[in-house]
Amino acid sequence: MDRDPECIFCKIIAGELPSAQVYEDDLLVAFRDIRPAAPVHVLIVPRQHIPDNNAVTEADAELSARLFAVVPRIAAAEGIARDGYRLILNTGPHGRQEIPHLHMHLLGGQRMQHPMG
Ligand code: DGP
C-alpha cells in the first residue's frame, strides 16, 4: 500500500497520529474532521496515498465505488441518513484542498447553507 512519509493522513491511517475513527475496512478509514464544519463532519480516506482526484484512474474503480458505498453506512451510524447530508471532495488550490491525500467530506446534522461557494 503506497504511503507518503510526510503525509498527515498517512500517519493517521498508520496509527502514528491520533484520530477519532468511526469506520475502517481494507481500503478506507473514516475519522472525524479536526475542524468540524457541521455537527457531523467525517473524512473518508483511502488507505493508499492518492494525492488528489486528478490522480484517480480506472484502476481505482473498486476504491472509488467503496468510497461512495460506505457513505450510507457511516451516515446511518451517525444518525444523518434520513435527513440527508453533503459530500465534498476538494481538489487542488481552486478546490481549496488543504491535505494532499484524497478524502471525501461527509457533512450533516444541520441544513447546509446555499450556495456552496
Ligand atoms: P481539505 O480542504 O478538503 O483538504 O480538508 C482537509 C480537512 O482535514 C480539513 O477540514 C481539516 C482536516 N484536518 C486537517 N488536519 C487534520 C488532522 O490532523 N486530523 C483530523 N482529524 N483532521 C484534520
Side-chain angles (χ1 to χ4, degrees):
M1 194 75 74
D2 295 345
R3 79 167 273 188
D4 174 344
E6 303 302 317
C7 173
I8 289 175
F9 284 0
C10 284
K11 289 178 182 171
I12 288 175
I13 290 159
E16 295 163 11
L17 289 175
S19 74
Q21 191 171 297
V22 299
Y23 175 84
E24 70 171 327
D25 64 28
D26 57 324
L27 296 178
L28 302 171
V29 173
F31 49 86
R32 299 195 191 285
D33 195 294
I34 206 166
R35 295 195 312 267
V40 174
H41 188 168
V42 170
L43 302 172
I44 308 171
V45 186
R47 289 184 181 277
Q48 184 184 348
H49 183 83
I50 298 172
D52 63 28
N53 201 63
N54 285 327
V56 174
T57 72
E58 299 264 345
D60 302 307
E62 185 187 5
L63 174 64
S64 304
R66 184 79 64 81
L67 196 56
F68 280 94
V70 298
V71 169
R73 190 164 158 181
I74 298 172
E78 294 291 323
I80 60 170
R82 196 192 61 172
D83 287 339
Y85 45 82
R86 179 171 284 168
L87 298 174
I88 298 176
L89 205 163
N90 296 324
T91 305
H94 279 197
R96 302 191 72 143
Q97 182 183 6
E98 180 193 332
I99 305 289
H101 181 131
L102 185 71
H103 55 280
M104 184 181 278
H105 297 252
L106 168 63
L107 294 149
Q110 68 182 28
R111 193 169 168 83
M112 295 297 158
Q113 301 288 319
H114 254 297
M116 290 195 285

